[in-house]
Amino acid sequence: MRKITLLLLIVIFIASCKIKTDKNTKPQSFVSNYVDPFIGTGGHGHTYPGATVPFGMLQVSPDNGISSWDWCSGYHHSDSIVAGFSHLHLSGTGIGDLADILFMPINKKVDLTTKATSRDLLPYKSKYSHANEKTVPGYYQVFLEDPKINVELTSSQRTALHKYTFNNNDTQSVIVDLGFAINWDKVLKTSITIEDDHTISGYRYSTGWAKNQKVFFVAKFSKPITESIITADKKIVSGNKAEGENTALQLFFNAGNSNELFVKVALSSVSIANAKDNFDIGDKDFNAVKSQAATSWNSVLGKIKVETPIDSLKTIFYTSLYHAQVAPVTYSDKNGQFRREDDKIITAKNYTAYSTLSLWDTFRAENPLLTILDPNRVSDMVNSMLSYYNTKKILPVWTLYANETNTMTGYHSIPVIVDAYLKGIKGFDGEKAFEAMKATMMQDERGLNFYKKYGYIPYNLLDESVTITLEYAYDDWCVAQMAKALGKQADYEFFFNRSKAYQHLFDPKTGFMRGKSEDGKSWNEPFDAKHSNHREHTDYTEGNAWQHSWFVPQNVEDFIKLHGGNQIFTSRLEQLFTESSEITGNNVSADISGLIGQYAHGNEPSHHISYLFNHAGQPWRTQYWVRHILDTQYNTTANGLSGNEDCGQMSAWYVFSSMGLYPMNPASGEYEIGSPIFEKSTINLDGGKTFVIEAQNVSNKNFYIQSATLNGQPFNKTAISHKQLLQGGVLHFVMGAEPNKNWGTNN
C-alpha cells in the first residue's frame, strides 16, 4: 500500500510539473490587451469600434443613425443612441458610405411601415451608455437600455457572428432593415427572402461614394423563426419574399429554454450562393470565433514588441498597429470571385483581391509598413491594383467596393507598386506593372493633359493645380525608378526629367510652391500662404501653401538648392512649426487639423515634413519636432487622433515614428531616423530574424540622439535601408537632453 501511495505521489508530481511547464510556455500576456478601438471614435478620427479581423471582409459595428461628417464610420463617441449593427464600415476616411445590412434585436413588435425621416422616428433605436460598452480587437459588446438586450459581436475573415441576450420571458425578435442608409449612401433596390425557419437571404444595391455597390447576404439564426413581418417600400407584403427600394422585416423566435439568440451573417459582392459559401466558421460557437479573432490579432500585433514602463505609450502604439491593419479589406469571395465596377464577375487566381484602397493616404507610411510586416499581403494588394488596370487601362486612385471614387489627387498606386517591387516582393508581374504605370501617367485624365503640355498644371485651367503637379512629379519619379530597375533607359530618362515639374512652381521670393498660369510667368495673385478654400477655386488640396509647399521627397537636395541652401531652407522649415496657426478664408478645409504652427498633422500632406531637417544638416530638429508630434498629436482618449485615421495612415505614422524610423520618400527603400520613444522595439521579420531598435536613456527629456551603433559598429547616418533592416540586427541609440549637432551631419 505504501508503494502504491508513493507511486501515486510520483505520478502526481510529474503531472504537476508537466502542467506547470506547459503553462509557462504559453504567452503570459497578449499585446491586443493594449489595444483600445475607441481611440479615434471621437473628434475627427472617424474610426469605428466594432469587430473585425486583420484586413477582414466584414466590419460589424454599431451605427448611431446620424448623417454627419463626424459619423462617417457610422459611430461617434459623443452619441448615446444606436440604430443597429451593420456589416460594412470605413475606418477614418472622412467620407460617408457603407453601413450595409443593418440588424437590430428588439423585444416588442414595431411598425416598419412608418417612414422614418430622421433617427428620432426609427421604431427600433435604443439608448446605450459607454459604461455598458466594451470593445477589444475582434469583439464588441453593448447593452441596449430600451429593450434591455445585451449585444455581442465578433467576426472571422468572411463571417460575422451576433449574440443577443434577452431578459427572462421577453419577446425575442430581430429587425433587418435594408433601407437603412446614412451620409452619402442611397438605396436603389433591395430584396429579402425567408428561405427556411432558420435562414434569410437577400441583396442591397446602392449608390453613394461607390456608385455601383451590390451586397448579397445570408443570415442563419440559432433558433427557428416562429413569425415574420415583411415590408416593401413601407407596405406589409404577404409571403416569404419582398423586393423594392426599401425592404425590411421583423422576425420572432421562440424563447425556449434559452435567453440567447445567435446570428451568423456572410456577405458577397457576387451572389447569395457565394455569400453562403463564405460562411467560414463551420460549427464554431461564439466564444470560439471570438477567441480565433483574438488569436489573429495577437499574431499580427505581435510582429512588433515595444518595451517601455509607460503603459499609455503601449496603448497608443498597439492601437495604432491595430488601425494600420484593418484596411484594405478582403473583397474576393472564398472561391476567388468578385464583382467589378462594370458588373462583370472575375476570379482572383492565386491571390486575394482587396478593396478600400485609400492610396492618397496610405502610400506614405501604411503601405511601406506592410512591406515589413506582411509582404505576401502586399503582393495581393498589388495584384488587386493590376486587376483594376485590366479593366480600366489605368491604375486606381481610391477604390471602394471595386468602384473608382477618383477621390484625392495623384495616382499613388504607383509608389505602392514600385516600393514593393524594389524591395524584392514577389508574386506579381513587374513588366505588367510597369506597363500599367506608364499607361496611367501618359493618359489625359485628371489634369495629365495639362501636365504633359506645360510641364506643370496651370492654376487657371484646373483647381488644386499645385498639389496635383507636385504629386504627379513624385509619381513620375517612381515610374522612373521602376524603368531603371527593368533596364528601360529611355523611359527612365523621360520620367525622371518630368519628375522635376516642382521646379516650375517654386517661387524663390516667397519660398512657397504657387499656382502659375499657362503663360509660364504669372503667379496666382493675390497670394496668402495661410488661405484655405476647401476643394474649389484653390491651388492646394485640403490645405494651404504652408502645408503643400514641401512635397518633393524624391529630390530633397535639389529642393533645398531652390530655396538657396540649408540655412534658408531650415529657417523656413522652422517657421512652418512656429508660425501662428491662423487659417484664413471663408471656406477653410475641415481637414486642416492637428496644427503646430502651420504644420497640420491631422492631414497626410504634412506627414513627411518633420523629417526634411535630416537632409539639411539639422537632424536634431527632426528629432525635436518628431518627438513633439508624438507627444501632442496622439493620446489614449476617444479623441486620440488629431485628424482622420484614413484607413491606417495616421496610425502608421505613429508606429514608424515611435520606433525612430519613417519612410519620408515611400518608394526609396530607405527609412529616415527620427527620435525613438521606446527603450526597445523588436520587429519580428520573416525567416525568424529580428531587427531591434534600442534607445538608451530615452525619456520625455532625453529625445536627442547622442550616438548610434548598428550591430556594434558606429552609425552616423540619418537613414537606414530596407535591405539593412531585413538583414536583422541591433540599431542602438544613446539619447540625451541636449542635441548632438555632430551626429548625423556627415551623411
Side-chain angles (χ1 to χ4, degrees):
M1 182 69 184
R2 291 173 65 184
K3 288 182 179 179
I4 294 172
T5 303
L6 181 60
L7 182 62
L8 184 62
L9 288 171
I10 291 171
V11 170
I12 292 171
F13 176 74
I14 292 172
S16 67
C17 288
K18 187 176 189 304
I19 292 169
K20 186 176 181 180
T21 301
D22 289 347
K23 185 178 180 181
N24 288 340
T25 61
K26 294 179 181 178
Q28 296 302 301
S29 64
F30 294 112
V31 288
S32 64
N33 291 341
Y34 288 106
V35 176
D36 183 359
F38 283 127
I39 293 176
T41 60
H44 303 317
H46 298 160
T47 62
Y48 59 82
T52 190
V53 295
F55 309 100
M57 176 178 278
L58 304 181
Q59 311 83 39
V60 56
S61 189
D63 294 305
N64 297 131
I66 291 287
S67 290
S68 182
W69 189 54
D70 278 333
W71 279 259
C72 283
S73 75
Y75 177 99
H76 195 265
H77 201 264
S78 63
D79 215 325
S80 59
I81 302 291
V82 63
F85 307 90
S86 63
H87 292 78
L88 297 175
H89 293 86
L90 288 164
S91 180
T93 60
I95 299 291
D97 204 337
L98 303 186
D100 297 81
I101 320 297
L102 185 87
F103 279 56
M104 183 66 165
I106 197 165
N107 63 350
K108 61 183 179 181
K109 186 173 289 188
V110 296
D111 183 3
L112 294 176
T113 64
T114 302
K115 187 174 183 179
T117 54
S118 70
R119 178 180 72 173
D120 293 340
L121 298 177
L122 286 174
Y124 48 76
K125 70 181 186 300
S126 175
K127 293 181 181 178
Y128 69 97
S129 166
H130 295 311
N132 293 313
E133 185 184 29
K134 178 183 178 181
T135 179
V136 296
Y139 172 79
Y140 172 85
Q141 173 271 325
V142 67
F143 181 74
L144 304 180
E145 295 179 0
D146 295 332
K148 293 183 169 51
I149 299 169
N150 193 57
V151 175
E152 297 173 78
L153 308 171
T154 190
S155 183
S156 64
Q157 186 179 19
R158 292 186 174 89
T159 305
L161 190 54
H162 303 233
K163 177 183 177 181
Y164 308 140
T165 304
F166 296 83
N167 265 358
N168 291 335
N169 303 318
D170 258 6
T171 298
Q172 296 185 14
S173 180
V174 175
I175 304 289
V176 179
D177 188 350
L178 301 187
F180 176 81
I182 55 173
N183 288 308
W184 295 12
D185 185 49
K186 182 180 185 299
V187 181
L188 298 175
K189 184 180 179 182
T190 64
S191 174
I192 298 181
T193 300
I194 300 174
E195 293 196 358
D196 57 44
D197 61 357
H198 284 80
T199 310
I200 65 170
S201 63
Y203 60 78
R204 184 181 190 273
Y205 300 169
S206 62
T207 187
W209 195 25
K211 298 300 181 187
N212 179 31
Q213 188 194 4
K214 294 183 177 179
V215 183
F216 300 84
F217 79 96
V218 177
K220 292 182 178 291
F221 298 87
S222 61
K223 295 179 179 180
I225 300 166
T226 58
E227 182 186 351
S228 62
I229 301 170
I230 308 180
T231 64
D233 299 328
K234 299 303 178 183
K235 295 179 181 179
I236 295 175
V237 298
S238 59
N240 291 332
K241 184 174 183 178
E243 288 185 333
E245 180 182 322
N246 186 331
T247 60
L249 59 70
Q250 181 169 14
L251 303 174
F252 298 87
F253 304 86
N254 190 337
N257 58 0
S258 172
N259 291 343
E260 296 175 348
L261 176 66
F262 298 90
V263 194
K264 60 180 180 178
V265 182
L267 308 184
S268 167
S269 68
V270 176
S271 65
I272 290 171
N274 273 21
K276 290 178 180 178
D277 188 49
N278 280 343
F279 281 124
D280 59 5
I281 60 174
D283 295 327
K284 292 187 181 75
D285 64 16
F286 186 90
N287 287 333
V289 176
K290 174 186 172 185
S291 177
Q292 190 173 28
T295 299
S296 296
W297 277 114
N298 277 300
S299 176
V300 299
L301 296 172
K303 290 183 179 181
I304 303 179
K305 180 183 179 183
V306 295
E307 298 179 34
T308 174
I310 306 171
D311 279 351
S312 61
L313 293 182
K314 290 183 181 179
T315 295
I316 298 171
F317 179 85
Y318 284 111
T319 303
S320 295
L321 194 56
Y322 165 82
H323 278 141
Q325 296 179 89
V326 299
V329 302
T330 298
Y331 183 56
S332 55
D333 291 334
K334 193 175 176 181
N335 64 6
Q337 291 183 327
F338 61 95
R339 181 181 299 273
R340 298 193 317 199
E341 187 176 10
D342 61 4
D343 276 331
K344 290 183 179 178
I345 307 301
I346 62 173
T347 302
K349 296 180 179 178
N350 301 317
Y351 74 96
T352 298
Y354 287 89
S355 188
T356 310
L357 297 170
S358 181
L359 294 164
W360 187 78
D361 309 293
T362 63
F363 88 94
R364 304 167 197 267
E366 190 211 3
N367 291 108
L369 180 64
L370 296 182
T371 66
I372 300 172
L373 301 181
D374 206 341
N376 290 332
R377 203 182 302 271
V378 171
S379 177
D380 285 1
M381 293 174 185
V382 171
N383 278 314
S384 301
M385 297 176 203
L386 295 180
S387 173
Y388 180 91
Y389 168 74
N390 288 338
T391 307
K392 291 277 198 171
K393 299 308 173 187
I394 192 171
L395 283 167
V397 176
W398 208 128
T399 60
L400 176 65
Y401 235 67
N403 284 243
E404 178 58 86
T405 67
N406 272 314
T407 299
M408 309 314 293
T409 48
Y411 283 98
H412 298 319
S413 45
I414 291 173
V416 172
I417 297 170
V418 173
D419 185 41
Y421 185 80
L422 296 182
K423 286 176 176 174
I425 292 176
K426 309 297 183 184
F428 63 93
D429 186 335
E431 290 286 348
K432 177 68 175 291
F434 179 77
E435 172 198 313
M437 293 176 207
K438 183 176 179 179
T440 297
M441 293 306 294
M442 293 304 294
Q443 45 87 27
D444 291 332
E445 293 183 18
R446 292 164 47 87
L448 276 167
N449 54 334
F450 303 131
Y451 181 76
K452 290 191 295 184
K453 180 177 180 180
Y454 298 100
Y456 63 96
I457 298 175
Y459 77 85
N460 55 312
L461 301 182
L462 188 68
D463 279 344
E464 303 180 346
S465 61
V466 172
T467 300
I468 296 171
T469 297
L470 296 179
E471 294 189 7
Y472 281 161
Y474 180 68
D475 291 339
D476 272 346
W477 182 86
C478 292
V479 179
Q481 304 315 302
M482 190 73 169
K484 186 177 182 179
L486 293 172
K488 301 178 185 295
Q489 185 64 23
D491 285 322
Y492 166 74
E493 292 176 4
F494 174 82
F495 285 103
F496 183 77
N497 288 331
R498 209 171 69 166
S499 74
K500 299 175 184 177
Y502 60 87
Q503 295 175 349
H504 291 288
L505 301 186
F506 182 75
D507 176 12
K509 291 184 180 179
T510 63
F512 292 102
M513 296 289 182
R514 295 183 56 186
K516 182 177 279 187
S517 74
E518 58 191 314
D519 66 14
K521 300 176 182 179
S522 308
W523 298 112
N524 190 1
E525 301 286 1
F527 176 67
D528 175 1
K530 294 182 178 180
H531 186 267
S532 166
N533 199 50
H534 185 65
R535 303 307 313 260
E536 60 182 7
H537 308 305
T538 179
D539 296 335
Y540 311 97
T541 302
E542 297 181 350
N544 60 23
W546 271 112
Q547 291 131 28
H548 283 264
S549 291
W550 306 96
F551 191 69
V552 190
Q554 70 271 29
N555 198 341
V556 181
E557 285 65 32
D558 184 57
F559 185 34
I560 291 170
K561 287 180 183 177
L562 290 179
H563 279 268
N566 284 352
Q567 186 174 351
I568 297 174
F569 181 79
T570 54
S571 176
R572 287 171 175 167
L573 195 52
E574 195 73 29
Q575 187 181 354
L576 168 72
F577 291 94
T578 57
E579 184 72 19
S580 77
S581 295
E582 177 195 14
I583 307 294
T584 61
N586 297 321
N587 184 30
V588 171
S589 176
D591 296 280
I592 303 176
S593 61
L595 284 168
I596 302 172
Q598 286 288 315
Y599 173 89
H601 192 72
N603 209 16
E604 282 67 25
S606 288
H607 280 189
H608 71 291
I609 297 176
S610 57
Y611 290 91
L612 292 172
F613 287 104
N614 277 352
H615 290 255
Q618 292 190 10
W620 62 91
R621 296 313 289 167
T622 283
Q623 295 156 33
Y624 175 87
W625 287 114
V626 166
R627 182 57 187 253
H628 185 75
I629 297 164
L630 286 165
D631 287 344
T632 62
Q633 301 301 305
Y634 299 83
N635 62 61
T636 59
T637 71
N639 197 15
L641 295 172
S642 59
N644 295 345
E645 166 59 17
D646 283 317
C647 294
Q649 170 57 28
M650 193 68 64
S651 289
W653 188 96
Y654 189 93
V655 171
F656 266 123
S657 296
S658 63
M659 294 192 295
L661 308 175
Y662 191 74
M664 185 202 71
N665 176 353
S668 68
E670 289 199 332
Y671 305 102
E672 297 289 324
I673 304 295
S675 180
I677 203 169
F678 302 112
E679 281 82 347
K680 185 177 182 181
S681 304
T682 302
I683 304 172
N684 295 303
L685 304 166
D686 283 356
K689 292 182 180 180
T690 60
F691 186 78
V692 179
I693 303 166
E694 298 174 339
Q696 183 180 335
N697 301 327
V698 70
S699 69
N700 60 351
K701 294 181 179 179
N702 295 343
F703 50 78
Y704 289 112
I705 296 171
Q706 306 299 300
S707 63
T709 58
L710 178 62
N711 298 326
Q713 299 300 312
F715 185 80
N716 195 39
K717 297 180 178 180
T718 57
I720 188 170
S721 72
H722 184 76
K723 183 178 180 180
Q724 287 174 300
L725 188 151
L726 290 189
Q727 289 172 350
V730 179
L731 179 59
H732 181 87
F733 296 106
V734 177
M735 312 299 289
E738 298 296 329
N740 176 2
K741 297 183 179 181
N742 293 318
W743 185 86
T745 55
N746 298 314
N747 288 323

